[in-house]
Amino acid sequence: IVFADDDLYLSTPSGAVSEVVPLPGQPAWHGPVPGSTALVWHNTDVFARAWNWIHQAGPHLTHDWTVKVDPDTVFLPGRLQRQLLDRYKPSGVFQSYDTWKYLDPKVPVYLVNCKQWYSLQGPLEIFSQAAAEKFFAGIEACQSSLEWKGWGEDWFVEHCMDFLGVQKREGFGLLADMYCTSDYDGSGKSY
């Protein structure tokens, strides 16, 4: 999680880790998706422990957006901030036909970032402040209601958000991912 206003970073400018919080429990494991030969990381339980820690610590409460970034993802916070700002309109200002384009962090929304699968891909997960709070508060309900044990973390997050009634918005073009190839903008470029 990176809060790009300098409140919380995973490392300091010198490269030293700013804080490591142990989250004891079962480790993630790599294996097939149930009913398939595709291999994924079964890491939902690990991430649930991290999300619960963040919920208790509360840093998301003072930020408009929570962004989960995989460690092997190149992430440019300033670019995302500009893109989110370009789409910002406070609730009640826009009409219903604009709701897919415009975003308000006080409305519980998460961004689907893969047009090919119309899904949330794990390298970059973006939640509004209202969605983050709803998700963090509802993790246990999702774990007790959904058949999540064979899922990767991103699949769990998307299904949990849907289960909790969080709205999805299109965030295509925010992520270039080898597992999601689509020509988002008609340029012929496959992200």
mmCIF file of all heavy atoms in Angstrom, residues 97-148:
data_model
loop_
_atom_site.group_PDB
_atom_site.id
_atom_site.type_symbol
_atom_site.label_atom_id
_atom_site.label_comp_id
_atom_site.label_asym_id
_atom_site.label_seq_id
_atom_site.Cartn_x
_atom_site.Cartn_y
_atom_site.Cartn_z
ATOM 1 N N TYR A 97 -25.809 9.307 -16.334
ATOM 2 C CA TYR A 97 -25.058 8.858 -17.517
ATOM 3 C C TYR A 97 -23.553 9.099 -17.379
ATOM 4 O O TYR A 97 -22.770 8.563 -18.124
ATOM 5 C CB TYR A 97 -25.585 9.516 -18.792
ATOM 6 C CG TYR A 97 -25.451 11.022 -18.820
ATOM 7 C CD1 TYR A 97 -24.269 11.620 -19.231
ATOM 8 C CD2 TYR A 97 -26.509 11.830 -18.441
ATOM 9 C CE1 TYR A 97 -24.137 12.999 -19.265
ATOM 10 C CE2 TYR A 97 -26.393 13.205 -18.473
ATOM 11 C CZ TYR A 97 -25.211 13.784 -18.886
ATOM 12 O OH TYR A 97 -25.097 15.144 -18.912
ATOM 13 N N ASP A 98 -23.144 9.928 -16.418
ATOM 14 C CA ASP A 98 -21.728 10.221 -16.205
ATOM 15 C C ASP A 98 -21.072 9.305 -15.173
ATOM 16 O O ASP A 98 -19.863 9.382 -14.982
ATOM 17 C CB ASP A 98 -21.541 11.653 -15.700
ATOM 18 C CG ASP A 98 -21.843 12.704 -16.748
ATOM 19 O OD1 ASP A 98 -21.540 12.469 -17.925
ATOM 20 O OD2 ASP A 98 -22.379 13.737 -16.360
ATOM 21 N N THR A 99 -21.825 8.459 -14.499
ATOM 22 C CA THR A 99 -21.273 7.751 -13.345
ATOM 23 C C THR A 99 -20.138 6.801 -13.686
ATOM 24 O O THR A 99 -19.320 6.510 -12.832
ATOM 25 C CB THR A 99 -22.371 6.989 -12.574
ATOM 26 O OG1 THR A 99 -22.987 6.051 -13.446
ATOM 27 C CG2 THR A 99 -23.385 7.935 -11.983
ATOM 28 N N TRP A 100 -20.049 6.300 -14.913
ATOM 29 C CA TRP A 100 -18.932 5.418 -15.261
ATOM 30 C C TRP A 100 -17.658 6.219 -15.478
ATOM 31 O O TRP A 100 -16.569 5.719 -15.271
ATOM 32 C CB TRP A 100 -19.249 4.593 -16.508
ATOM 33 C CG TRP A 100 -20.129 3.452 -16.158
ATOM 34 C CD1 TRP A 100 -21.476 3.400 -16.287
ATOM 35 C CD2 TRP A 100 -19.737 2.217 -15.569
ATOM 36 N NE1 TRP A 100 -21.958 2.209 -15.823
ATOM 37 C CE2 TRP A 100 -20.899 1.449 -15.382
ATOM 38 C CE3 TRP A 100 -18.522 1.673 -15.184
ATOM 39 C CZ2 TRP A 100 -20.886 0.186 -14.818
ATOM 40 C CZ3 TRP A 100 -18.501 0.404 -14.633
ATOM 41 C CH2 TRP A 100 -19.679 -0.321 -14.450
ATOM 42 N N LYS A 101 -17.793 7.467 -15.892
ATOM 43 C CA LYS A 101 -16.608 8.283 -16.169
ATOM 44 C C LYS A 101 -16.064 8.942 -14.912
ATOM 45 O O LYS A 101 -14.866 8.984 -14.702
ATOM 46 C CB LYS A 101 -16.951 9.345 -17.215
ATOM 47 C CG LYS A 101 -15.783 10.238 -17.554
ATOM 48 C CD LYS A 101 -16.138 11.254 -18.612
ATOM 49 C CE LYS A 101 -14.938 12.155 -18.885
ATOM 50 N NZ LYS A 101 -15.253 13.259 -19.746
ATOM 51 N N TYR A 102 -16.937 9.504 -14.106
ATOM 52 C CA TYR A 102 -16.497 10.305 -12.975
ATOM 53 C C TYR A 102 -16.436 9.489 -11.697
ATOM 54 O O TYR A 102 -17.175 8.537 -11.505
ATOM 55 C CB TYR A 102 -17.415 11.513 -12.800
ATOM 56 C CG TYR A 102 -17.304 12.461 -13.963
ATOM 57 C CD1 TYR A 102 -18.347 12.622 -14.853
ATOM 58 C CD2 TYR A 102 -16.120 13.160 -14.183
ATOM 59 C CE1 TYR A 102 -18.226 13.473 -15.934
ATOM 60 C CE2 TYR A 102 -15.996 14.014 -15.271
ATOM 61 C CZ TYR A 102 -17.050 14.166 -16.137
ATOM 62 O OH TYR A 102 -16.919 15.002 -17.207
ATOM 63 N N LEU A 103 -15.529 9.913 -10.808
ATOM 64 C CA LEU A 103 -15.285 9.210 -9.559
ATOM 65 C C LEU A 103 -15.359 10.176 -8.387
ATOM 66 O O LEU A 103 -14.939 11.326 -8.498
ATOM 67 C CB LEU A 103 -13.887 8.581 -9.573
ATOM 68 C CG LEU A 103 -13.608 7.583 -10.686
ATOM 69 C CD1 LEU A 103 -12.131 7.232 -10.710
ATOM 70 C CD2 LEU A 103 -14.460 6.346 -10.500
ATOM 71 N N ASP A 104 -15.858 9.689 -7.272
ATOM 72 C CA ASP A 104 -15.880 10.438 -6.019
ATOM 73 C C ASP A 104 -15.415 9.470 -4.934
ATOM 74 O O ASP A 104 -16.040 8.425 -4.742
ATOM 75 C CB ASP A 104 -17.297 10.932 -5.739
ATOM 76 C CG ASP A 104 -17.416 11.722 -4.440
ATOM 77 O OD1 ASP A 104 -16.450 11.741 -3.640
ATOM 78 O OD2 ASP A 104 -18.484 12.297 -4.202
ATOM 79 N N PRO A 105 -14.340 9.788 -4.214
ATOM 80 C CA PRO A 105 -13.833 8.857 -3.205
ATOM 81 C C PRO A 105 -14.799 8.595 -2.050
ATOM 82 O O PRO A 105 -14.632 7.624 -1.320
ATOM 83 C CB PRO A 105 -12.543 9.513 -2.710
ATOM 84 C CG PRO A 105 -12.587 10.920 -3.173
ATOM 85 C CD PRO A 105 -13.520 10.986 -4.340
ATOM 86 N N LYS A 106 -15.829 9.421 -1.920
ATOM 87 C CA LYS A 106 -16.819 9.191 -0.864
ATOM 88 C C LYS A 106 -17.882 8.171 -1.277
ATOM 89 O O LYS A 106 -18.713 7.770 -0.478
ATOM 90 C CB LYS A 106 -17.459 10.513 -0.467
ATOM 91 C CG LYS A 106 -16.461 11.442 0.225
ATOM 92 C CD LYS A 106 -17.084 12.773 0.568
ATOM 93 C CE LYS A 106 -16.145 13.717 1.260
ATOM 94 N NZ LYS A 106 -14.789 13.778 0.817
ATOM 95 N N VAL A 107 -17.838 7.757 -2.546
ATOM 96 C CA VAL A 107 -18.740 6.724 -3.065
ATOM 97 C C VAL A 107 -17.949 5.421 -3.112
ATOM 98 O O VAL A 107 -16.818 5.404 -3.601
ATOM 99 C CB VAL A 107 -19.248 7.096 -4.477
ATOM 100 C CG1 VAL A 107 -20.072 5.978 -5.084
ATOM 101 C CG2 VAL A 107 -20.042 8.396 -4.420
ATOM 102 N N PRO A 108 -18.513 4.318 -2.590
ATOM 103 C CA PRO A 108 -17.764 3.062 -2.607
ATOM 104 C C PRO A 108 -17.632 2.482 -4.016
ATOM 105 O O PRO A 108 -18.579 1.927 -4.556
ATOM 106 C CB PRO A 108 -18.565 2.138 -1.685
ATOM 107 C CG PRO A 108 -19.899 2.755 -1.539
ATOM 108 C CD PRO A 108 -19.788 4.204 -1.903
ATOM 109 N N VAL A 109 -16.429 2.656 -4.606
ATOM 110 C CA VAL A 109 -16.141 2.131 -5.939
ATOM 111 C C VAL A 109 -14.740 1.519 -5.954
ATOM 112 O O VAL A 109 -13.854 1.944 -5.221
ATOM 113 C CB VAL A 109 -16.226 3.205 -7.047
ATOM 114 C CG1 VAL A 109 -17.623 3.780 -7.165
ATOM 115 C CG2 VAL A 109 -15.219 4.303 -6.856
ATOM 116 N N TYR A 110 -14.581 0.519 -6.813
ATOM 117 C CA TYR A 110 -13.253 0.005 -7.125
ATOM 118 C C TYR A 110 -13.132 -0.014 -8.639
ATOM 119 O O TYR A 110 -14.131 -0.013 -9.350
ATOM 120 C CB TYR A 110 -13.010 -1.373 -6.508
ATOM 121 C CG TYR A 110 -13.774 -2.511 -7.131
ATOM 122 C CD1 TYR A 110 -13.177 -3.339 -8.083
ATOM 123 C CD2 TYR A 110 -15.090 -2.789 -6.765
ATOM 124 C CE1 TYR A 110 -13.879 -4.402 -8.652
ATOM 125 C CE2 TYR A 110 -15.784 -3.848 -7.322
ATOM 126 C CZ TYR A 110 -15.174 -4.647 -8.256
ATOM 127 O OH TYR A 110 -15.866 -5.697 -8.822
ATOM 128 N N LEU A 111 -11.889 0.009 -9.126
ATOM 129 C CA LEU A 111 -11.667 0.107 -10.559
ATOM 130 C C LEU A 111 -11.290 -1.239 -11.151
ATOM 131 O O LEU A 111 -10.314 -1.858 -10.714
ATOM 132 C CB LEU A 111 -10.562 1.130 -10.851
ATOM 133 C CG LEU A 111 -10.838 2.550 -10.357
ATOM 134 C CD1 LEU A 111 -9.697 3.476 -10.733
ATOM 135 C CD2 LEU A 111 -12.155 3.073 -10.901
ATOM 136 N N VAL A 112 -12.070 -1.695 -12.141
ATOM 137 C CA VAL A 112 -11.679 -2.869 -12.915
ATOM 138 C C VAL A 112 -10.659 -2.382 -13.939
ATOM 139 O O VAL A 112 -10.848 -1.353 -14.569
ATOM 140 C CB VAL A 112 -12.883 -3.586 -13.583
ATOM 141 C CG1 VAL A 112 -13.765 -4.231 -12.540
ATOM 142 C CG2 VAL A 112 -13.702 -2.658 -14.445
ATOM 143 N N ASN A 113 -9.565 -3.124 -14.064
ATOM 144 C CA ASN A 113 -8.452 -2.629 -14.868
ATOM 145 C C ASN A 113 -8.107 -3.540 -16.046
ATOM 146 O O ASN A 113 -7.107 -3.331 -16.708
ATOM 147 C CB ASN A 113 -7.218 -2.413 -13.993
ATOM 148 C CG ASN A 113 -6.870 -3.628 -13.163
ATOM 149 O OD1 ASN A 113 -7.245 -4.753 -13.493
ATOM 150 N ND2 ASN A 113 -6.141 -3.410 -12.081
ATOM 151 N N CYS A 114 -8.943 -4.539 -16.300
ATOM 152 C CA CYS A 114 -8.695 -5.457 -17.414
ATOM 153 C C CYS A 114 -9.950 -5.545 -18.280
ATOM 154 O O CYS A 114 -10.954 -6.133 -17.863
ATOM 155 C CB CYS A 114 -8.318 -6.838 -16.891
ATOM 156 S SG CYS A 114 -8.069 -8.052 -18.204
ATOM 157 N N LYS A 115 -9.883 -4.941 -19.451
ATOM 158 C CA LYS A 115 -11.033 -4.957 -20.359
ATOM 159 C C LYS A 115 -11.277 -6.352 -20.925
ATOM 160 O O LYS A 115 -12.421 -6.762 -21.104
ATOM 161 C CB LYS A 115 -10.803 -3.951 -21.493
ATOM 162 C CG LYS A 115 -12.009 -3.728 -22.359
ATOM 163 C CD LYS A 115 -11.750 -2.602 -23.346
ATOM 164 C CE LYS A 115 -13.003 -2.271 -24.125
ATOM 165 N NZ LYS A 115 -12.772 -1.147 -25.043
ATOM 166 N N GLN A 116 -10.195 -7.088 -21.178
ATOM 167 C CA GLN A 116 -10.310 -8.423 -21.762
ATOM 168 C C GLN A 116 -11.203 -9.336 -20.914
ATOM 169 O O GLN A 116 -12.042 -10.051 -21.436
ATOM 170 C CB GLN A 116 -8.918 -9.041 -21.899
ATOM 171 C CG GLN A 116 -8.926 -10.445 -22.454
ATOM 172 C CD GLN A 116 -7.517 -11.025 -22.537
ATOM 173 O OE1 GLN A 116 -6.550 -10.439 -22.061
ATOM 174 N NE2 GLN A 116 -7.405 -12.180 -23.150
ATOM 175 N N TRP A 117 -11.016 -9.315 -19.611
ATOM 176 C CA TRP A 117 -11.793 -10.179 -18.706
ATOM 177 C C TRP A 117 -12.823 -9.381 -17.907
ATOM 178 O O TRP A 117 -13.527 -9.945 -17.084
ATOM 179 C CB TRP A 117 -10.864 -10.910 -17.736
ATOM 180 C CG TRP A 117 -9.744 -11.626 -18.427
ATOM 181 C CD1 TRP A 117 -8.412 -11.315 -18.369
ATOM 182 C CD2 TRP A 117 -9.850 -12.739 -19.307
ATOM 183 N NE1 TRP A 117 -7.698 -12.169 -19.151
ATOM 184 C CE2 TRP A 117 -8.547 -13.057 -19.743
ATOM 185 C CE3 TRP A 117 -10.916 -13.498 -19.783
ATOM 186 C CZ2 TRP A 117 -8.279 -14.101 -20.619
ATOM 187 C CZ3 TRP A 117 -10.645 -14.536 -20.658
ATOM 188 C CH2 TRP A 117 -9.344 -14.828 -21.063
ATOM 189 N N TYR A 118 -12.887 -8.078 -18.118
ATOM 190 C CA TYR A 118 -13.706 -7.156 -17.334
ATOM 191 C C TYR A 118 -13.535 -7.476 -15.842
ATOM 192 O O TYR A 118 -14.475 -7.838 -15.136
ATOM 193 C CB TYR A 118 -15.180 -7.196 -17.733
ATOM 194 C CG TYR A 118 -15.866 -5.896 -17.386
ATOM 195 C CD1 TYR A 118 -15.743 -4.805 -18.219
ATOM 196 C CD2 TYR A 118 -16.565 -5.748 -16.211
ATOM 197 C CE1 TYR A 118 -16.320 -3.599 -17.897
ATOM 198 C CE2 TYR A 118 -17.153 -4.539 -15.884
ATOM 199 C CZ TYR A 118 -17.025 -3.471 -16.723
ATOM 200 O OH TYR A 118 -17.583 -2.263 -16.394
ATOM 201 N N SER A 119 -12.276 -7.369 -15.408
ATOM 202 C CA SER A 119 -11.936 -7.817 -14.061
ATOM 203 C C SER A 119 -10.923 -6.894 -13.400
ATOM 204 O O SER A 119 -10.342 -6.014 -14.022
ATOM 205 C CB SER A 119 -11.360 -9.229 -14.126
ATOM 206 O OG SER A 119 -10.126 -9.206 -14.843
ATOM 207 N N LEU A 120 -10.731 -7.162 -12.136
ATOM 208 C CA LEU A 120 -9.708 -6.517 -11.333
ATOM 209 C C LEU A 120 -8.482 -7.426 -11.347
ATOM 210 O O LEU A 120 -8.553 -8.559 -10.885
ATOM 211 C CB LEU A 120 -10.215 -6.348 -9.898
ATOM 212 C CG LEU A 120 -9.224 -5.842 -8.868
ATOM 213 C CD1 LEU A 120 -8.873 -4.395 -9.137
ATOM 214 C CD2 LEU A 120 -9.798 -6.001 -7.473
ATOM 215 N N GLN A 121 -7.378 -6.935 -11.900
ATOM 216 C CA GLN A 121 -6.130 -7.692 -11.916
ATOM 217 C C GLN A 121 -5.274 -7.242 -10.739
ATOM 218 O O GLN A 121 -5.180 -6.055 -10.430
ATOM 219 C CB GLN A 121 -5.392 -7.478 -13.238
ATOM 220 C CG GLN A 121 -6.146 -7.986 -14.449
ATOM 221 C CD GLN A 121 -6.286 -9.503 -14.456
ATOM 222 O OE1 GLN A 121 -5.318 -10.230 -14.425
ATOM 223 N NE2 GLN A 121 -7.518 -9.972 -14.490
ATOM 224 N N GLY A 122 -4.611 -8.209 -10.093
ATOM 225 C CA GLY A 122 -3.908 -7.983 -8.848
ATOM 226 C C GLY A 122 -2.724 -7.049 -8.818
ATOM 227 O O GLY A 122 -2.434 -6.495 -7.764
ATOM 228 N N PRO A 123 -1.997 -6.814 -9.913
ATOM 229 C CA PRO A 123 -0.832 -5.941 -9.788
ATOM 230 C C PRO A 123 -1.157 -4.526 -9.328
ATOM 231 O O PRO A 123 -0.342 -3.868 -8.703
ATOM 232 C CB PRO A 123 -0.242 -5.922 -11.202
ATOM 233 C CG PRO A 123 -0.667 -7.212 -11.790
ATOM 234 C CD PRO A 123 -2.049 -7.462 -11.224
ATOM 235 N N LEU A 124 -2.368 -4.038 -9.631
ATOM 236 C CA LEU A 124 -2.758 -2.679 -9.250
ATOM 237 C C LEU A 124 -4.250 -2.687 -8.906
ATOM 238 O O LEU A 124 -5.089 -2.827 -9.786
ATOM 239 C CB LEU A 124 -2.486 -1.707 -10.405
ATOM 240 C CG LEU A 124 -2.734 -0.232 -10.117
ATOM 241 C CD1 LEU A 124 -1.750 0.294 -9.083
ATOM 242 C CD2 LEU A 124 -2.643 0.576 -11.401
ATOM 243 N N GLU A 125 -4.549 -2.562 -7.620
ATOM 244 C CA GLU A 125 -5.939 -2.551 -7.153
ATOM 245 C C GLU A 125 -6.222 -1.193 -6.537
ATOM 246 O O GLU A 125 -5.495 -0.750 -5.652
ATOM 247 C CB GLU A 125 -6.161 -3.669 -6.131
ATOM 248 C CG GLU A 125 -5.877 -5.041 -6.712
ATOM 249 C CD GLU A 125 -5.896 -6.156 -5.680
ATOM 250 O OE1 GLU A 125 -6.372 -5.945 -4.544
ATOM 251 O OE2 GLU A 125 -5.430 -7.250 -6.017
ATOM 252 N N ILE A 126 -7.288 -0.547 -7.008
ATOM 253 C CA ILE A 126 -7.586 0.830 -6.610
ATOM 254 C C ILE A 126 -8.997 0.887 -6.039
ATOM 255 O O ILE A 126 -9.956 0.525 -6.715
ATOM 256 C CB ILE A 126 -7.457 1.776 -7.826
ATOM 257 C CG1 ILE A 126 -6.054 1.649 -8.441
ATOM 258 C CG2 ILE A 126 -7.749 3.214 -7.414
ATOM 259 C CD1 ILE A 126 -5.924 2.291 -9.804
ATOM 260 N N PHE A 127 -9.099 1.365 -4.778
ATOM 261 C CA PHE A 127 -10.392 1.481 -4.088
ATOM 262 C C PHE A 127 -10.568 2.917 -3.608
ATOM 263 O O PHE A 127 -9.634 3.520 -3.092
ATOM 264 C CB PHE A 127 -10.466 0.628 -2.820
ATOM 265 C CG PHE A 127 -9.852 -0.726 -2.866
ATOM 266 C CD1 PHE A 127 -9.199 -1.221 -1.754
ATOM 267 C CD2 PHE A 127 -9.946 -1.536 -3.980
ATOM 268 C CE1 PHE A 127 -8.641 -2.486 -1.756
ATOM 269 C CE2 PHE A 127 -9.398 -2.804 -3.991
ATOM 270 C CZ PHE A 127 -8.736 -3.279 -2.876
ATOM 271 N N SER A 128 -11.797 3.422 -3.711
ATOM 272 C CA SER A 128 -12.093 4.715 -3.091
ATOM 273 C C SER A 128 -12.049 4.537 -1.575
ATOM 274 O O SER A 128 -12.097 3.419 -1.051
ATOM 275 C CB SER A 128 -13.473 5.212 -3.515
ATOM 276 O OG SER A 128 -14.485 4.376 -2.970
ATOM 277 N N GLN A 129 -11.967 5.659 -0.870
ATOM 278 C CA GLN A 129 -11.948 5.603 0.594
ATOM 279 C C GLN A 129 -13.177 4.861 1.124
ATOM 280 O O GLN A 129 -13.070 4.016 2.005
ATOM 281 C CB GLN A 129 -11.905 7.014 1.177
ATOM 282 C CG GLN A 129 -11.848 7.031 2.701
ATOM 283 C CD GLN A 129 -11.958 8.433 3.240
ATOM 284 O OE1 GLN A 129 -12.988 9.090 3.043
ATOM 285 N NE2 GLN A 129 -10.918 8.902 3.895
ATOM 286 N N ALA A 130 -14.342 5.160 0.574
ATOM 287 C CA ALA A 130 -15.576 4.510 1.025
ATOM 288 C C ALA A 130 -15.561 3.014 0.717
ATOM 289 O O ALA A 130 -16.024 2.200 1.520
ATOM 290 C CB ALA A 130 -16.792 5.172 0.372
ATOM 291 N N ALA A 131 -15.004 2.628 -0.433
ATOM 292 C CA ALA A 131 -14.910 1.210 -0.787
ATOM 293 C C ALA A 131 -13.929 0.489 0.122
ATOM 294 O O ALA A 131 -14.185 -0.641 0.552
ATOM 295 C CB ALA A 131 -14.476 1.049 -2.245
ATOM 296 N N ALA A 132 -12.797 1.127 0.415
ATOM 297 C CA ALA A 132 -11.799 0.507 1.295
ATOM 298 C C ALA A 132 -12.403 0.222 2.660
ATOM 299 O O ALA A 132 -12.244 -0.872 3.206
ATOM 300 C CB ALA A 132 -10.566 1.399 1.424
ATOM 301 N N GLU A 133 -13.124 1.179 3.201
ATOM 302 C CA GLU A 133 -13.721 0.971 4.527
ATOM 303 C C GLU A 133 -14.762 -0.144 4.486
ATOM 304 O O GLU A 133 -14.814 -0.995 5.371
ATOM 305 C CB GLU A 133 -14.330 2.272 5.050
ATOM 306 C CG GLU A 133 -14.860 2.164 6.469
ATOM 307 C CD GLU A 133 -13.843 1.674 7.501
ATOM 308 O OE1 GLU A 133 -12.617 1.844 7.303
ATOM 309 O OE2 GLU A 133 -14.275 1.099 8.521
ATOM 310 N N LYS A 134 -15.577 -0.162 3.447
ATOM 311 C CA LYS A 134 -16.595 -1.209 3.313
ATOM 312 C C LYS A 134 -15.933 -2.580 3.153
ATOM 313 O O LYS A 134 -16.354 -3.567 3.762
ATOM 314 C CB LYS A 134 -17.492 -0.891 2.110
ATOM 315 C CG LYS A 134 -18.819 -1.574 2.132
ATOM 316 C CD LYS A 134 -19.746 -0.956 1.080
ATOM 317 C CE LYS A 134 -21.144 -1.455 1.298
ATOM 318 N NZ LYS A 134 -22.102 -0.864 0.387
ATOM 319 N N PHE A 135 -14.880 -2.638 2.337
ATOM 320 C CA PHE A 135 -14.162 -3.891 2.115
ATOM 321 C C PHE A 135 -13.492 -4.368 3.392
ATOM 322 O O PHE A 135 -13.642 -5.527 3.799
ATOM 323 C CB PHE A 135 -13.127 -3.704 0.999
ATOM 324 C CG PHE A 135 -12.201 -4.870 0.821
ATOM 325 C CD1 PHE A 135 -12.676 -6.097 0.380
ATOM 326 C CD2 PHE A 135 -10.858 -4.747 1.095
ATOM 327 C CE1 PHE A 135 -11.829 -7.179 0.213
ATOM 328 C CE2 PHE A 135 -9.997 -5.817 0.931
ATOM 329 C CZ PHE A 135 -10.475 -7.028 0.499
ATOM 330 N N PHE A 136 -12.721 -3.489 4.043
ATOM 331 C CA PHE A 136 -12.011 -3.898 5.259
ATOM 332 C C PHE A 136 -12.985 -4.380 6.329
ATOM 333 O O PHE A 136 -12.740 -5.384 6.996
ATOM 334 C CB PHE A 136 -11.167 -2.748 5.812
ATOM 335 C CG PHE A 136 -10.038 -2.325 4.911
ATOM 336 C CD1 PHE A 136 -9.539 -1.042 4.976
ATOM 337 C CD2 PHE A 136 -9.453 -3.202 4.011
ATOM 338 C CE1 PHE A 136 -8.487 -0.636 4.162
ATOM 339 C CE2 PHE A 136 -8.400 -2.817 3.190
ATOM 340 C CZ PHE A 136 -7.921 -1.524 3.277
ATOM 341 N N ALA A 137 -14.093 -3.672 6.493
ATOM 342 C CA ALA A 137 -15.086 -4.059 7.501
ATOM 343 C C ALA A 137 -15.808 -5.352 7.121
ATOM 344 O O ALA A 137 -16.337 -6.042 7.984
ATOM 345 C CB ALA A 137 -16.096 -2.931 7.700
ATOM 346 N N GLY A 138 -15.823 -5.704 5.822
ATOM 347 C CA GLY A 138 -16.576 -6.866 5.365
ATOM 348 C C GLY A 138 -15.760 -8.097 5.036
ATOM 349 O O GLY A 138 -16.323 -9.101 4.585
ATOM 350 N N ILE A 139 -14.450 -8.062 5.255
ATOM 351 C CA ILE A 139 -13.606 -9.206 4.902
ATOM 352 C C ILE A 139 -14.087 -10.488 5.559
ATOM 353 O O ILE A 139 -14.200 -11.535 4.906
ATOM 354 C CB ILE A 139 -12.127 -8.932 5.231
ATOM 355 C CG1 ILE A 139 -11.562 -7.909 4.252
ATOM 356 C CG2 ILE A 139 -11.296 -10.217 5.178
ATOM 357 C CD1 ILE A 139 -10.154 -7.448 4.580
ATOM 358 N N GLU A 140 -14.372 -10.437 6.852
ATOM 359 C CA GLU A 140 -14.821 -11.656 7.554
ATOM 360 C C GLU A 140 -16.138 -12.168 6.984
ATOM 361 O O GLU A 140 -16.318 -13.380 6.827
ATOM 362 C CB GLU A 140 -14.932 -11.399 9.055
ATOM 363 C CG GLU A 140 -13.580 -11.311 9.727
ATOM 364 C CD GLU A 140 -13.691 -11.158 11.231
ATOM 365 O OE1 GLU A 140 -14.683 -11.644 11.822
ATOM 366 O OE2 GLU A 140 -12.781 -10.549 11.815
ATOM 367 N N ALA A 141 -17.065 -11.276 6.662
ATOM 368 C CA ALA A 141 -18.342 -11.700 6.063
ATOM 369 C C ALA A 141 -18.089 -12.375 4.716
ATOM 370 O O ALA A 141 -18.714 -13.390 4.398
ATOM 371 C CB ALA A 141 -19.270 -10.499 5.889
ATOM 372 N N CYS A 142 -17.166 -11.830 3.946
ATOM 373 C CA CYS A 142 -16.837 -12.445 2.646
ATOM 374 C C CYS A 142 -16.204 -13.814 2.837
ATOM 375 O O CYS A 142 -16.539 -14.764 2.119
ATOM 376 C CB CYS A 142 -15.896 -11.537 1.855
ATOM 377 S SG CYS A 142 -16.684 -10.017 1.263
ATOM 378 N N GLN A 143 -15.301 -13.924 3.806
ATOM 379 C CA GLN A 143 -14.646 -15.210 4.038
ATOM 380 C C GLN A 143 -15.635 -16.269 4.524
ATOM 381 O O GLN A 143 -15.474 -17.446 4.228
ATOM 382 C CB GLN A 143 -13.496 -15.062 5.034
ATOM 383 C CG GLN A 143 -12.292 -14.378 4.418
ATOM 384 C CD GLN A 143 -11.138 -14.239 5.376
ATOM 385 O OE1 GLN A 143 -11.295 -13.753 6.498
ATOM 386 N NE2 GLN A 143 -9.962 -14.644 4.939
ATOM 387 N N SER A 144 -16.658 -15.847 5.233
ATOM 388 C CA SER A 144 -17.632 -16.833 5.714
ATOM 389 C C SER A 144 -18.729 -17.124 4.690
ATOM 390 O O SER A 144 -19.395 -18.148 4.786
ATOM 391 C CB SER A 144 -18.249 -16.390 7.046
ATOM 392 O OG SER A 144 -18.984 -15.208 6.885
ATOM 393 N N SER A 145 -18.886 -16.261 3.687
ATOM 394 C CA SER A 145 -19.969 -16.426 2.713
ATOM 395 C C SER A 145 -19.522 -16.891 1.330
ATOM 396 O O SER A 145 -20.322 -17.447 0.592
ATOM 397 C CB SER A 145 -20.730 -15.107 2.551
ATOM 398 O OG SER A 145 -21.291 -14.698 3.773
ATOM 399 N N LEU A 146 -18.286 -16.628 0.961
ATOM 400 C CA LEU A 146 -17.800 -16.959 -0.380
ATOM 401 C C LEU A 146 -16.905 -18.197 -0.337
ATOM 402 O O LEU A 146 -16.254 -18.461 0.664
ATOM 403 C CB LEU A 146 -17.004 -15.776 -0.954
ATOM 404 C CG LEU A 146 -17.752 -14.448 -1.082
ATOM 405 C CD1 LEU A 146 -16.799 -13.334 -1.504
ATOM 406 C CD2 LEU A 146 -18.895 -14.568 -2.070
ATOM 407 N N GLU A 147 -16.848 -18.927 -1.427
ATOM 408 C CA GLU A 147 -15.987 -20.113 -1.556
ATOM 409 C C GLU A 147 -14.610 -19.670 -2.041
ATOM 410 O O GLU A 147 -14.217 -19.938 -3.167
ATOM 411 C CB GLU A 147 -16.622 -21.110 -2.540
ATOM 412 C CG GLU A 147 -17.970 -21.643 -2.099
ATOM 413 C CD GLU A 147 -17.872 -22.551 -0.877
ATOM 414 O OE1 GLU A 147 -16.848 -23.246 -0.720
ATOM 415 O OE2 GLU A 147 -18.818 -22.548 -0.079
ATOM 416 N N TRP A 148 -13.845 -19.016 -1.176
ATOM 417 C CA TRP A 148 -12.631 -18.313 -1.564
ATOM 418 C C TRP A 148 -11.345 -19.118 -1.413
ATOM 419 O O TRP A 148 -10.296 -18.689 -1.873
ATOM 420 C CB TRP A 148 -12.496 -17.039 -0.735
ATOM 421 C CG TRP A 148 -12.382 -17.315 0.738
ATOM 422 C CD1 TRP A 148 -13.410 -17.463 1.614
ATOM 423 C CD2 TRP A 148 -11.184 -17.487 1.489
ATOM 424 N NE1 TRP A 148 -12.929 -17.715 2.878
ATOM 425 C CE2 TRP A 148 -11.559 -17.739 2.814
ATOM 426 C CE3 TRP A 148 -9.838 -17.462 1.156
ATOM 427 C CZ2 TRP A 148 -10.630 -17.956 3.825
ATOM 428 C CZ3 TRP A 148 -8.911 -17.677 2.166
ATOM 429 C CH2 TRP A 148 -9.308 -17.924 3.477
#
